[in-house]
Amino acid sequence: MVILFAVFLLTLLVLTAVAIVRTENLFVAVMLTGIFSLLMAANFFVLDAADVALTEAAIGAGITTVLFLGALALTAEHEKSVSAGRWLSMGVVIVTTLVLIYATFDKPRLGDPQAPVHLHVAPWYLDKTPEIIGIPNVVTAVLGSFRGYDTLGELFVVFTAFIGVLFILSGRRGRHLPSNGRASSSTDQGLGHHLIPKVVGRLLIPFIVLFGFYVQFHGEYGPGGGFQAGAIVAAGIILYALLEGETQALKVVPPPALMGMVVGGAVLYGAVGIAGIVLGGNFLDYSVLADNPVTGQQIGILIIELGVGIAVCGALLSIFHAFAAREPS
Amino acid sequence: MDSASDVLSWILLALGGGFVFVGGLGALRLPNFYTRMHAASLTDSMASILILLGIMLQAGWSLAAIKLLAILAFLLLTGPTASYALANAALLSGLKPGSSADESKEN
């Protein structure tokens, strides 16, 4: 049954991918990328990877689509036709596909208990998580504690992307100062004059943000954690920006606060690691944070997830505002 | 009792699936933008009610049922709003309802 679902979803994925490549309307392509991400999320869910599914749905299908649309508002709706080098790229794609298909022949069967991935450290993680960390969600334990270095690296990737996007996009921050004169037109921005989206949006925003916090702090017990929660809270605030106008949203969370969120989140994560050293353990060793090593692990994971959530939320909002602040060229 | 709720649940799920199918068919086959949207949005709301009620019967009295109820409330709020926003955006961008000759515009 699972195989049937998976094959169905994968077929839809391939169809969507082909449609994305073939369409010349970039708006359609953006919508199809959203559908692609949602199908991917469903696929992850069928494979019991609820955490990854939640991330894919929140970031891939949600925020990325909004960011793509923001970018699209600055450019043309139709793809420029490029004819040079088509055969070369076609050749590269065909060769890569053949190599990948060849590589799958060595792949163990889906769910094979003898697969290398199930014989290395995974059994140890599954076995020791209740004893060492004492939380039900092993994914959070692996992500936050056992593989804390990797997650720190991921957070700094987000951080670097944030810096890169700001360097490329934000040249005209001064536009948002109230003295600029554009602030008076803030009522024209957004959907303020459309009653139904406004009312429903206002009704939903608190619940979206609340759900974000739930995903953040429930990550030790169920699917969730900092990355997903940051994206969901950012989605709530982006909805607010769409409804009330971007200027209004920047009043709620001003650019320095966004900067502080990204930097602060990353620093918070690093600080937990250094606190481990100061208290006599290794870097990112949470066991020394409290008298009881298990409690220490839980405190550490809670704080680093908070750092991840704050940083991701700040980075996504900054990128959104960076796109929204640009005039169409 | 158990089998009765099971049968009812499957009837609801099948009806919901039928609505989704009809909506998809309408979105593909109807002549212009507004009729297609009409087909997709109305059936979507009905289908989400039926399907989620069906799953709720499967879940029984549990936390999952309450979560499904919350999802239903969310869908019933967002779905029609999204349809409204879509139709409104189409109207504002100059797509007149009632003409069947606007095939070229919405593709």
Side-chain angles (χ1 to χ4, degrees):
Chain A
M1 196 64 181
V2 170
I3 294 288
L4 200 69
F5 268 123
V7 167
F8 176 66
L9 287 171
L10 285 173
T11 314
L12 284 181
L13 265 183
V14 172
L15 290 178
T16 318
V18 171
I20 292 174
V21 174
R22 286 197 57 84
T23 182
E24 297 205 331
N25 187 328
L26 293 176
F27 185 77
V28 174
V30 168
M31 288 300 139
L32 285 171
T33 357
I35 293 172
F36 186 88
S37 284
L38 206 59
L39 286 171
M40 204 65 223
N43 219 334
F44 286 141
F45 197 78
V46 166
L47 296 175
D48 278 344
D51 287 81
V52 196
L54 191 55
T55 315
E56 184 66 38
I59 296 182
I63 300 278
T64 315
T65 311
V66 174
L67 293 182
F68 273 144
L69 287 178
L72 205 59
L74 305 175
T75 55
E77 198 181 315
H78 285 276
E79 193 178 345
K80 274 184 194 153
S81 57
V82 184
S83 52
R86 281 187 89 142
W87 291 109
L88 179 67
S89 39
M90 197 69 186
V92 171
V93 167
I94 288 174
V95 170
T96 315
T97 312
L98 289 179
V99 168
L100 286 176
I101 290 175
Y102 176 68
T104 58
F105 294 149
D106 271 348
K107 202 172 124 330
R109 283 179 55 82
L110 176 65
D112 182 4
Q114 297 303 313
V117 65
H118 297 309
L119 297 177
H120 187 46
V121 287
W124 190 86
Y125 288 152
L126 290 173
D127 201 31
K128 295 288 180 184
T129 296
E131 181 189 323
I132 298 180
I133 303 183
I135 59 173
N137 189 354
V138 181
V139 176
T140 304
V142 173
L143 190 132
S145 182
F146 297 131
R147 293 247 150 226
Y149 274 73
D150 296 358
T151 312
L152 184 64
E154 276 176 51
L155 187 60
F156 275 88
V157 168
V158 172
F159 184 65
T160 315
F162 157 76
I163 294 175
V165 170
L166 281 202
F167 265 124
I168 295 169
L169 286 180
S170 82
R172 279 164 281 181
R173 165 128 322 139
R175 204 164 77 70
H176 295 297
L177 293 178
S179 61
N180 204 300
R182 264 194 69 103
S184 60
S185 67
S186 68
T187 47
D188 297 341
Q189 285 183 323
L191 294 168
H193 49 290
H194 292 293
L195 190 63
I196 296 176
K198 191 176 176 178
V199 169
V200 174
R202 279 191 175 165
L203 197 65
L204 287 179
I205 289 167
F207 290 103
I208 294 175
V209 175
L210 190 66
F211 182 64
F213 285 126
Y214 168 78
V215 169
Q216 169 84 52
F217 293 110
H218 202 257
E220 298 182 10
Y221 299 96
F227 287 99
Q228 299 93 327
I232 293 171
V233 173
I237 300 176
I238 287 176
L239 181 60
Y240 181 77
L242 293 176
L243 289 175
E244 307 285 341
E246 201 221 344
T247 327
Q248 195 65 29
L250 277 175
K251 273 186 198 152
V252 179
V253 193
L258 289 174
M259 192 81 81
M261 279 166 76
V262 183
V263 177
V267 167
L268 185 63
Y269 199 141
V272 174
I274 291 172
I277 298 180
V278 170
L279 292 172
N282 290 322
F283 186 64
L284 290 176
D285 178 6
Y286 314 134
S287 299
V288 292
L289 291 178
D291 293 335
N292 183 352
V294 175
T295 318
Q297 289 283 345
Q298 290 173 352
I299 292 176
I301 290 179
L302 208 63
I303 299 177
I304 64 120
E305 288 277 11
L306 189 63
V308 170
I310 293 173
V312 168
C313 180
L316 290 173
L317 281 177
S318 308
I319 295 172
F320 170 75
H321 283 307
F323 275 120
R326 299 269 296 196
E327 305 280 352
S329 54
Chain B
M1 175 59 208
D2 209 27
S3 66
S5 73
D6 216 36
V7 168
L8 188 62
S9 147
W10 278 108
I11 291 174
L12 287 172
L13 286 175
L15 271 177
F19 270 100
V20 171
F21 181 76
V22 169
L25 203 66
L28 281 176
R29 296 289 298 160
L30 285 175
N32 62 29
F33 174 79
Y34 291 99
T35 46
R36 286 181 190 184
M37 231 199 72
H38 174 78
S41 62
L42 288 185
T43 52
D44 207 36
S45 300
M46 196 63 209
S48 48
I49 295 173
L50 291 173
I51 290 178
L52 282 169
L53 279 180
I55 306 176
M56 259 187 263
L57 281 180
Q58 292 280 336
W61 284 111
S62 60
L63 189 61
I66 297 170
K67 285 182 183 173
L68 287 167
L69 199 66
I71 293 174
L72 181 59
F74 183 80
L75 283 179
L76 286 184
L77 272 175
T78 51
T81 312
S83 309
Y84 163 81
L86 190 61
N88 199 34
L91 195 65
L92 286 181
S93 67
L95 190 64
K96 290 270 187 298
S99 62
S100 59
D102 51 8
E103 278 284 329
S104 58
K105 278 188 184 173
E106 81 268 3
N107 284 327

